[in-house]
Amino acid sequence: MARARTQYKCRSCGYISASYLGRCPNCGAWNQFEKESQEVRQTSTKATPSRLMASVGAKEAVKMSTVKAEKEERVLTKSSELNRVLGGGIVPGSLVLIGGDPGIGKSTLMLQIMSELAEKYKVLYVSGEESASQIKLRADRLGLGQSPMLLYPESNMEHIRDQIDDVKPDFVVIDSIQTMNEPSLDSMVGSASQVREVTAELMKIAKLDQVTVFVIGHVTKEGSIAGPKILEHMVDTVLYFEGDEHHAYRILHSVKNRFGAANEIGMFEMKTEGLAEVTNPSAVFLDERLPDSTGSAVVVSLEGTRPILGEIQALVTPTAFGYAKRTTSGLDYNRVSLLLAVLEKRGNLMLQNQDAYLSATGGIRLNEPAIDLAIAMAIASSYYDKEISATDCFVGEIGLTGEVRRVNQIQARVKEAGKIGFKRIFIPKYNMSPALQDLGIEVIPVSSVRQALHYLFS
C-alpha cells in the first residue's frame, strides 16, 4: 500500500522543506521553492523479527524431574581472562553483549579473540562502522593480517541474515548493534525500536542455528549501554569493557551471565601490538607503593570469585575554609562520608575541620563493603601522620556503631594476601576460624574500629 508525500524543494540549492517557505534558509534565495509529490510505500511492522521468533521449547509443560540436563561443552579461547569472565569459556549458541566507552578497545579485543578462533572455527565479522580495508589495516597493526576470518561490511539485517545462511559460521561478531538496520521498520538507524528488533533477530539466529553471536554496543555518557534496557535483558551475557583513558589497563567486567557467575573481572593491558592479558592484577596495583608512606592501606577486595589486592590512599589536611572538602576517586563518595563520620564519633578523630581526599590507585573502582576497614585505616594513618606497615592488609565492613562486621569468602582473601607476600591481615572477629591459621600469614581479628586504631596507632 502506498501513500502520497508532499515536500518543497529549493530550485537553487536543493534544500528540502516539509512546508512552503518564501526564503530558503540554506542559500537565502527568494521564491525558489517548488512543490513535489512522491509516493511512499508504507511498510507494516507485523512481520518484524520479534514477532516472528520461532518456538524453541517443548510443546507442552513437563516435570522438571523428567528433564535431562546435558552439560554444555564450552569453547576455550587462548585468553584465560576472557574464559574466566564468561564462566569457563564460550557457550555455543549464546548471545553476548560487550559495551564500553569509544576507543576503549572493544573492537580490538574482538578482532584478537576471533582471529584466534578462526584457526579452528568459521568466523564472520560484520562491521557497520568500518570497511574491509580499514579492518585489515587494524589487523595488520596487531599482527593478525593473515587470519582466515571472514569480513563483511554491512548494516542491512536482511543481507546479514542471507550471508549467515550462506556461510554457516560458528561465530558472528556484530560491530556495532547501533549501526544495524532492520528494513521492515520505518524508524531511523540506532533508534530504540531498531536496536530491539535487530537484537531479536540475532537471538533467533543464535538459538535456532546454534551460532555464537558477539554484539558490540555503544554506551551513553552515564556509562550504560545505549538503547532500550530490554537489550540487556534479551542477551545471555552482558560484559562491560572499562578503563581510565589515562591508564593502559582495561577491565572486562561481567554484569550478567546466564552460564556463570556475575561480577567476574578480567584484566588487560593496552599495548601498541594490541591487548595483553594481566594474569596477576594485584601486583600491578601494588608495585608503585612508596615505602614508609602515610595514608596508604591495602585491601583484599573480591570481584566475583577473584580476590584482588588494591591500594587505598587518603590525604587528610586542615581546611583553609569553614567547610571541609571531601573528594573521592574510584570509591563511593557517600560511603566515604559515612566512614568519616564513624571515625569522628567512634574513633575520636577530629575530622570536621579536615579536608579529606581518597583514591583507589591504578584506575580500579572498588565498591564492596569489605573495603571499609582499609579506608578507615588509611584515613587514620594520614590523620596521625603514622605509616602502616607495608606488609599489613585489611578486610572488613564497618557499621554505624563502629563494629567490624563479617565478610564473605574470607579464606580466599587471606590465602591471596599470603600468596602475594603480606605478613599480617586484619579481619572481622566473627570471621575468625582455625583454618585461617594455616595459610602462611598472621591473622589478627578485630571487633571494632577503636580496637583496630588502638592496635596500629597507640
Side-chain angles (χ1 to χ4, degrees):
M1 181 177 180
R3 58 183 176 85
R5 185 175 69 181
T6 301
Q7 62 185 22
Y8 296 86
K9 184 176 181 180
C10 177
R11 289 190 292 265
S12 298
C13 65
Y15 178 84
I16 296 175
S17 172
S19 60
Y20 180 81
L21 300 174
R23 184 184 182 186
C24 177
N26 187 47
C27 65
W30 288 90
N31 301 322
Q32 294 296 311
F33 279 90
E34 60 181 6
K35 184 178 180 180
E36 288 184 350
S37 296
Q38 184 180 9
E39 284 193 352
V40 180
R41 184 175 177 270
Q42 188 172 5
T43 59
S44 173
T45 60
K46 292 183 179 180
T48 56
S50 60
R51 293 178 172 85
L52 292 178
M53 281 288 290
S55 176
V56 295
K59 300 301 181 183
E60 59 183 18
V62 294
K63 289 184 178 180
M64 182 182 292
S65 59
T66 63
V67 177
K68 294 183 178 180
E70 298 180 1
K71 188 175 180 180
E72 194 72 51
E73 291 294 331
R74 295 176 182 258
V75 177
L76 294 177
T77 68
K78 293 182 180 179
S79 172
S80 59
E81 295 296 296
L82 179 64
N83 294 337
R84 170 195 290 272
V85 174
L86 291 175
I90 302 172
V91 176
S94 60
L95 181 58
V96 181
L97 174 63
I98 301 179
D101 293 327
I104 202 70
K106 303 183 296 296
S107 299
T108 300
L109 176 66
M110 281 292 95
L111 197 59
Q112 289 184 217
I113 299 299
M114 291 301 141
S115 295
E116 295 169 357
L117 291 174
E119 298 174 3
K120 295 175 58 178
Y121 303 93
K122 189 174 288 187
V123 177
L124 179 64
Y125 193 103
V126 181
S127 177
E129 300 179 343
E130 298 177 288
S131 65
S133 60
Q134 290 174 325
I135 299 174
K136 169 68 173 176
L137 286 172
R138 183 150 48 89
D140 288 339
R141 178 174 58 84
L142 300 174
L144 308 171
Q146 302 305 313
S147 171
M149 180 172 56
L150 301 174
L151 303 180
Y152 187 50
E154 182 58 73
S155 60
N156 189 309
M157 275 306 298
E158 285 187 357
H159 299 161
I160 296 171
R161 205 158 40 232
D162 293 340
Q163 189 71 17
I164 292 175
D165 292 338
D166 294 340
V167 174
K168 292 181 171 51
D170 299 302
F171 296 90
V172 174
V173 176
I174 304 295
D175 186 9
S176 64
I177 189 68
Q178 281 83 10
T179 61
M180 297 296 118
N181 174 40
E182 178 56 55
S184 60
L185 296 178
D186 291 331
S187 55
M188 64 182 294
V189 176
S191 63
S193 57
Q194 282 282 353
V195 171
R196 182 176 59 249
E197 297 301 331
V198 169
T199 306
E201 178 63 21
L202 293 173
M203 181 188 294
K204 177 182 174 182
I205 292 171
K207 302 305 178 186
L208 298 185
D209 300 337
Q210 283 297 294
V211 177
T212 304
V213 181
F214 284 85
V215 176
I216 296 176
H218 298 159
V219 297
T220 62
K221 62 182 180 180
E222 289 82 15
S224 59
I225 294 178
K229 197 65 178 177
I230 192 175
L231 174 62
E232 298 187 33
H233 294 292
M234 293 169 69
V235 301
D236 296 315
T237 305
V238 180
L239 309 178
Y240 277 88
F241 205 40
E242 305 167 343
D244 192 329
E245 61 180 0
H246 304 297
H247 292 82
Y249 297 106
R250 305 285 187 267
I251 295 176
L252 187 63
H253 186 204
S254 168
V255 297
K256 173 190 174 183
N257 192 354
R258 288 175 179 160
F259 311 113
N263 296 321
E264 289 284 0
I265 70 165
M267 193 165 179
F268 300 84
E269 182 180 5
M270 180 64 79
K271 298 182 178 179
T272 306
E273 59 274 14
L275 290 162
E277 291 187 48
V278 178
T279 55
N280 190 3
S282 299
V284 172
F285 296 132
L286 300 177
D287 60 358
E288 298 179 7
R289 295 187 70 202
L290 287 176
D292 302 327
S293 59
T294 62
S296 173
V298 176
V299 61
V300 188
S301 178
L302 201 67
E303 298 293 335
T305 60
R306 183 180 203 171
I308 292 180
L309 276 79
E311 181 188 5
I312 294 176
Q313 293 182 344
L315 177 62
V316 177
T317 180
T319 181
F321 306 99
Y323 182 76
K325 184 177 182 180
R326 279 82 170 92
T327 302
T328 63
S329 175
L331 302 170
D332 182 64
Y333 177 85
N334 293 327
R335 191 70 185 172
V336 170
S337 299
L338 182 149
L339 292 173
L340 288 167
V342 171
L343 284 171
E344 183 158 0
K345 183 72 173 179
R346 311 297 180 188
N348 297 325
L349 273 67
M350 183 60 68
L351 296 170
Q352 58 185 328
N353 60 349
Q354 303 281 326
D355 292 337
Y357 306 90
L358 286 97
S359 173
T361 62
I364 191 173
R365 182 164 186 83
L366 301 175
N367 290 317
E368 68 160 340
I371 68 173
D372 289 355
L373 186 58
I375 294 175
M377 295 304 104
I379 294 171
S381 173
S382 180
Y383 178 82
Y384 290 122
D385 199 25
K386 293 183 179 180
E387 69 274 6
I388 296 173
S389 174
T391 59
D392 288 351
C393 57
F394 305 87
V395 174
E397 178 185 357
I398 295 177
L400 292 180
T401 60
E403 80 279 12
V404 180
R405 307 178 68 88
R406 72 174 74 239
V407 299
N408 63 340
Q409 299 290 332
I410 188 63
Q411 189 163 349
R413 298 176 194 261
V414 174
K415 186 176 181 180
E416 179 70 11
K419 186 175 70 174
I420 297 299
F422 284 83
K423 303 300 182 184
R424 294 193 307 181
I425 181 170
F426 290 77
I427 69 168
K429 176 183 177 182
Y430 298 101
N431 273 127
M432 191 61 187
S433 67
L436 300 179
Q437 302 290 352
D438 302 326
L439 297 178
I441 182 174
E442 182 184 356
V443 180
I444 301 175
V446 292
S447 58
S448 66
V449 171
R450 185 170 296 179
Q451 182 183 354
L453 293 172
H454 178 75
Y455 198 103
L456 289 169
F457 304 110
S458 63

